[in-house]
Amino acid sequence: MRKLREMLDKADINQFRFWTQIFFFALFIYGGWWALNWSERLPVFACAFVQDRCGSCYLLGLQHQMTAPVSRMFSLAGLGILTGFLTFLIWFVLLNKAWCGYACPLGTLQDWITKIRSGIGVRRSQYSETGFKRLKRIKYALLILLILIPLAIGNTIFGSGLSHEFEIPFCMICPGRTVLPIFNADFSQLMIDFSTSTKMILTALGMAVTGGFFVGAFVKKRFFCLFCPMSALQYLLSRLSVLRLVKDGGKCTRCNNCVQVCDVGIRQIAENMEKGDILQDDCMLCLKCVAACPENDCLQLKFLNIPVFRSTDTGFFCRMEKKERGI
Amino acid sequence: MASEEQSRMAQSIRMHLAMETEDVLGRISMDEAPQAMGYFYRKLRQFFQQPEGLGHFDKPGIGTFCAQVPLELIEAAGARPVRLCMAAGIWDQAGGELLPAKSCSVVKAMAGMAASQLFFSGVCAVVAPTTCDGKKKCADLIETMGIAVHRLEMPPSKLSRAARNYWRESVETFMAQLQGWTKQKITRKSLHTAIHRRLMATEQFRRLCRLQTKGVLRAVDYFLVTQTGFFDDVEAWTLALSDLCAELEARVAEGRGIEKQNRPRMLLTGSPVLFPNIKVPLWIEQAGGPIVTDELCSATDMFHDAPAYDETCLHDMVSALCDRYLSPCVCACLSPNPDRIRKMISLCRQARVDGVVYQTFSGCLSYAMERNAVAKALADEKLPLLYIETDAGFEDQGQLSTRIDAFIESVQAKRRNF
Ligand code: SF4
Ligand code: SF4
């Protein structure tokens, strides 16, 4: 048991994450080859437009369900919505936001782009602290819109019902739809649909977002995640999860190492000395901060209250030495 | 004529300094000393008795004040940092001619050191962070003596965004100045190496601290180790440190030296312990209270922290260094300074401390002013505190050691009653 603890303390979390991400990427993009089908309610962008996927993103189903008239939602259809949500919740509760850091194929893709960037020696750019705070709100707006717009189809919100072309508004602009099928050699989503003007606008927007996705991910780490409505939904529910990131403020020296290594630049992790549950909006539970914290047990990842990974002095130096050898 | 007088003065100060060092080192009994301590005694002797030996280091020396100068940058620029905070009584006296008598011993000693031109033979420039008023004015004074001084501008607080940006810019200016001095560029590679070296040193220092909490190393020895770290080559220091740790670990394994564990365990805080002024730790230990941990800018505050970064590019490494030297800093010159008390309490809990000794140099206002807040926080933790005001030199021995004895006795009595 002590051996295991020691091994975990010294674990190279970045490497572990790298391989886990590859595993999930393969699963979500090629899992269909092995006739795997997990669920249609996954809390990640396992995009439904990918032919050989093994599961798909909850947001697609949610948007579909929202197109029903409100009156129907309180009948049998409501049950469908509820079970859909509960399935999603069960998946989510298991891994919390680690879905973002370890499983989401779109997130993985961004991390690979980051690897290319740092590999060729281009330095990252960062948001100013105030800019960051403002941008954070966008994803909540998107979340609300992706529920409201479909609702306007089955219900008369704007006088008459909205066209069915708005059925899955978020998917139309999501880079998951355009980019991920490429890995199945399917380029069909990479185009602008001129059949109707609505479709044209939506697909054109989708293409623009896709371009922004690549450029953004090259300049900034996890650029797209800042706008991701799935991330917003997850954060709203993160309190329910059995996987928690906890901090013991009494042990923190405010060395700021955690902020330095955080891909999304979360300051609270160092600055908040009171809060035990330190998981923040935009955090993806990548655990880099835990790995970079040199104070014993200051930061911990707990599953059902059992520490799975914790910050240690020895682990910190072990990892930093490995880094030195890496250069 | 003036210069002749100056050199005569320097000569006399040097003699006194050599005597003072010998006197202090002579007070340390050698019976218990680990063999590996020999390295540190030797280095200190050499440093204080043949200071021109410094000039023999092959790299230019850059003098530093305080604990906020990013030493890695100096090393990456091909120079060698020498922290000039040292508190010899003879320098204190010499500095008294130059600064008001009420200034603190450290500041006077540093002025005196500069005036006697010791150490400056090998030091081509001085970096002074704008910490307390005394240090700032001391830097001004040193500059008038014809020594190149760079002021590393420090924000008065560390918590705000403005402070962080200010500090970052200040460190970048310092980098440019450094490269100008040494004519050597700080590269990604050189900085990475420098950081790595200091990281290894930190790792060993923490190892020593863990042993320290077991009470196996005398506090005086501990402070001689940290003092040597002020000027020694970091790799040589790390090596000597690891030898020392290995020897102490072997002692622990044999069960030697740990009997002190059950004596009243002390934490020392306040104004720094600076060689040759190691009297307070000396007396505390003589009174039978091992110092198991400390919150001093000459020891843990200087050597405990280590930077981390994700990508090894120059920009991110510099950014990590900026944070390393400002964010965990608990110097009393900061306002507000909530982390100092937090840190002290955390140390007390981790090292199971029984009592705290708070020393200030007379004239060190910032530390003296924080005393009440600290005392209150410690009282909440039910920890007794002894407050001592002192200066360089051994004149107050009688009075101080009596108070220390009584304090440790009372802590011991309290322990027994539990
Ligand atoms: S806060 Fe920690 S776990 Fe969350 S994204 Fe930042 S580094 Fe990763
Ligand atoms: S790395 Fe750990 S000790 Fe440092 S600021 Fe973050 S939580 Fe605190």
Side-chain angles (χ1 to χ4, degrees):
Chain A
M1 197 60 203
R2 242 192 57 223
K3 274 257 156 59
L4 181 73
R5 197 50 302 154
E6 215 168 276
M7 217 182 76
L8 276 174
D9 287 347
K10 291 188 179 170
D12 183 343
I13 204 77
N14 281 340
Q15 208 165 34
F16 172 71
R17 192 162 83 98
F18 179 74
W19 291 108
T20 317
Q21 282 183 309
I22 290 185
F23 168 77
F24 275 108
F25 193 86
L27 200 66
F28 290 141
I29 307 286
Y30 307 108
W33 292 356
W34 295 284
L36 288 174
N37 193 356
W38 274 14
S39 164
E40 303 288 304
R41 303 279 180 259
L42 291 179
V44 271
F45 280 5
C47 184
F49 288 85
V50 175
Q51 288 285 314
D52 302 321
R53 69 186 182 275
C54 84
S56 60
C57 167
Y58 173 59
L59 290 186
L60 175 85
L62 180 67
Q63 290 172 86
H64 269 306
Q65 287 170 332
M66 286 300 130
T67 55
V70 173
S71 52
R72 275 232 334 258
M73 286 187 193
F74 291 100
S75 64
L76 225 54
L79 211 63
I81 296 176
L82 199 68
T83 49
F85 179 72
L86 285 179
T87 326
F88 163 80
L89 197 63
I90 290 171
W91 281 112
F92 171 71
V93 159
L94 277 180
L95 290 185
N96 205 346
K97 299 211 64 177
W99 283 104
C100 305
Y102 285 80
C104 178
L106 217 52
T108 303
L109 200 58
Q110 291 178 80
D111 288 343
W112 290 344
I113 296 174
T114 296
K115 274 216 156 53
I116 296 174
R117 174 189 48 70
S118 74
I120 55 176
V122 179
R123 84 157 144 97
R124 71 187 161 134
S125 45
Q126 283 158 290
Y127 293 108
S128 74
E129 285 166 35
T130 39
F132 182 64
K133 276 197 191 116
R134 246 177 272 135
L135 288 175
K136 280 161 84 109
R137 298 195 197 117
I138 294 181
K139 59 178 172 299
Y140 290 97
L142 286 176
L143 180 63
I144 293 169
L145 281 177
L146 78 79
I147 292 172
L148 280 188
I149 296 179
L151 265 180
I153 298 175
N155 305 278
T156 44
I157 296 182
F158 308 121
S160 68
L162 203 63
S163 147
H164 262 279
E165 284 166 356
F166 284 106
E167 200 171 19
I168 44 170
F170 180 71
C171 293
M172 294 312 286
I173 61 162
C174 173
R177 174 184 65 86
T178 48
V179 176
L180 294 178
I182 297 176
F183 291 90
N184 272 187
D186 169 9
F187 296 90
S188 63
Q189 299 296 329
L190 270 180
M191 49 114 201
I192 298 176
D193 184 348
F194 288 100
S195 56
T196 69
S197 57
T198 320
K199 276 188 179 157
M200 190 184 82
I201 293 171
L202 284 176
T203 49
L205 210 59
M207 288 303 286
V209 171
T210 307
F213 171 81
F214 282 110
V215 176
F218 187 79
V219 210
K220 288 200 164 77
K221 291 179 178 181
R222 292 277 179 150
F223 169 76
F224 178 74
C225 301
L226 196 59
F227 309 106
C228 175
M230 179 71 92
S231 154
L233 182 60
Q234 292 192 354
Y235 183 58
L236 293 176
L237 303 169
S238 69
R239 274 306 160 90
L240 305 174
S241 176
V242 290
L243 195 67
R244 296 184 312 138
L245 183 63
V246 283
K247 174 171 172 179
D248 180 348
K251 294 185 172 136
C252 174
T253 58
R254 209 192 290 272
C255 70
N256 257 4
N257 282 1
C258 46
V259 182
Q260 283 292 340
V261 299
C262 179
D263 283 354
V264 270
I266 293 172
R267 295 211 68 88
Q268 280 295 309
I269 190 104
E271 283 168 5
N272 200 323
M273 302 292 172
E274 273 87 46
K275 217 165 146 192
D277 249 300
I278 198 72
L279 188 101
Q280 299 289 311
D281 196 2
D282 293 307
C283 170
M284 50 170 164
L285 270 185
C286 68
L287 304 182
K288 278 186 184 177
C289 51
V290 185
C293 175
E295 301 307 320
N296 288 337
D297 292 329
C298 180
L299 293 174
Q300 296 188 336
L301 178 79
K302 287 187 169 171
F303 187 82
L304 288 171
N305 246 354
I306 304 163
V308 193
F309 184 52
R310 52 179 196 158
S311 58
T312 52
D313 163 295
T314 39
F316 169 79
F317 285 106
C318 185
R319 282 181 285 266
M320 287 308 278
E321 271 158 45
K322 207 163 161 191
K323 196 178 184 102
E324 165 69 18
R325 270 180 260 127
I327 200 174
Chain B
M1 190 54 201
S3 78
E4 200 176 295
E5 195 185 318
Q6 252 174 17
S7 76
R8 213 171 22 220
M9 187 184 85
Q11 199 56 42
S12 120
I13 290 185
R14 172 174 305 201
M15 237 174 59
H16 275 97
L17 183 66
M19 273 157 49
E20 198 177 333
T21 332
E22 223 30 72
D23 172 41
V24 171
L25 288 174
R27 286 169 194 255
I28 304 171
S29 115
M30 290 295 147
D31 308 339
E32 267 185 81
Q35 268 189 347
M37 273 309 294
Y39 173 88
F40 302 96
Y41 298 142
R42 215 164 41 246
K43 276 277 154 149
L44 277 171
R45 266 211 180 86
Q46 185 190 348
F47 189 75
F48 281 88
Q49 296 178 351
Q50 292 130 7
E52 64 276 11
L54 258 186
H56 296 162
F57 284 59
D58 50 350
K59 291 173 186 161
I62 304 270
T64 66
F65 281 22
C66 298
Q68 293 86 354
V69 181
L71 305 177
E72 288 88 342
L73 290 176
I74 299 182
E75 282 154 355
R80 162 179 59 81
V82 183
R83 182 170 169 189
L84 298 173
C85 304
M86 295 168 196
I90 181 69
W91 283 335
D92 185 3
Q93 265 174 38
E97 318 268 303
L98 304 161
L99 289 166
K102 279 186 180 160
S103 354
C104 90
S105 299
V106 184
V107 169
K108 277 189 286 183
M110 287 169 81
M113 173 203 288
S116 64
Q117 294 179 341
L118 289 182
F119 293 165
F120 285 90
S121 50
V123 167
C124 66
V126 168
V127 189
T130 51
T131 49
C132 71
D133 291 349
K135 286 281 176 79
K136 281 191 275 200
K137 290 298 130 190
C138 181
D140 292 356
L141 179 74
I142 288 183
E143 198 173 32
T144 62
M145 298 175 184
I147 295 159
V149 171
H150 176 83
R151 288 174 191 78
L152 181 61
E153 286 179 36
M154 219 181 109
S157 148
K158 61 176 186 178
L159 299 175
S160 71
R161 178 159 40 91
R164 280 193 293 277
N165 293 341
Y166 182 84
W167 177 239
R168 165 95 210 197
E169 206 172 298
S170 170
V171 169
E172 272 166 13
T173 317
F174 169 52
M175 268 173 85
Q177 173 69 267
L178 255 177
Q179 301 181 45
W181 279 338
T182 64
K183 306 274 176 302
Q184 203 167 316
K185 248 190 114 47
I186 297 173
T187 63
R188 188 176 85 101
K189 198 115 204 248
S190 70
L191 188 54
H192 194 67
T193 315
I195 291 181
H196 178 69
R197 287 195 184 141
R198 289 260 157 209
L199 220 68
M200 309 303 283
T202 309
E203 188 179 11
Q204 292 307 322
F205 176 72
R206 287 182 174 213
R207 189 172 159 204
L208 184 70
C209 288
R210 280 195 291 275
L211 287 158
Q212 189 66 13
T213 56
K214 296 203 170 86
V216 278
L217 184 67
R218 292 177 306 181
V220 270
D221 285 336
Y222 170 75
F223 288 113
L224 296 191
V225 170
T226 57
Q227 186 75 37
T228 314
F230 281 25
F231 56 82
D232 201 7
D233 172 64
V234 60
E235 276 186 305
W237 189 68
T238 312
L239 213 65
L241 198 49
S242 106
D243 285 346
L244 176 62
C245 291
E247 192 178 335
L248 293 173
E249 276 160 8
R251 280 193 182 186
V252 174
E254 288 168 20
R256 262 211 302 156
I258 47 173
E259 61 279 359
K260 276 201 254 155
Q261 262 190 341
N262 301 322
R263 307 278 310 152
R265 302 160 65 83
M266 292 292 135
L267 176 144
L268 184 59
T269 184
S271 309
V273 170
L274 300 167
F275 193 81
N277 182 26
I278 50 165
K279 58 183 184 183
V280 173
L282 193 67
W283 294 335
I284 295 177
E285 291 238 322
Q286 280 171 358
I291 298 177
V292 287
T293 182
D294 68 276
E295 185 282 302
L296 294 169
C297 74
S298 57
T300 52
D301 294 356
M302 180 170 177
F303 296 108
H304 173 85
D305 296 297
Y309 41 88
D310 191 35
E311 293 176 24
T312 34
C313 63
L314 195 60
H315 178 272
D316 286 13
M317 283 190 279
V318 172
S319 166
L321 280 180
C322 285
D323 271 354
R324 149 73 178 85
Y325 283 94
L326 182 66
S327 197
C329 173
V330 292
C331 174
C333 72
L334 290 168
S335 159
N337 191 20
D339 288 346
R340 176 152 177 246
I341 289 174
R342 242 171 23 83
K343 177 174 183 175
M344 220 181 291
I345 297 214
S346 156
L347 285 171
C348 285
R349 287 183 186 157
Q350 276 170 36
R352 291 173 287 112
V353 165
D354 299 310
V356 173
V357 179
Y358 194 131
Q359 71 156 351
T360 61
F361 292 125
S362 20
C364 175
L365 289 183
S366 332
Y367 275 105
M369 284 170 170
E370 282 198 353
R371 165 193 172 184
N372 286 338
V374 170
K376 190 172 170 296
L378 290 175
D380 291 345
E381 290 279 308
K382 306 222 168 8
L383 284 170
L385 174 107
L386 173 69
Y387 180 78
I388 306 178
E389 193 176 293
T390 181
D391 47 27
F394 279 78
E395 292 78 30
D396 49 4
Q397 171 156 22
Q399 182 245 354
L400 271 191
S401 54
T402 319
R403 285 182 59 205
I404 292 174
D405 282 346
F407 178 67
I408 297 212
E409 193 48 50
S410 77
V411 174
Q412 176 77 325
K414 207 175 118 201
R415 274 169 60 110
R416 251 185 251 120
N417 290 341
F418 267 109

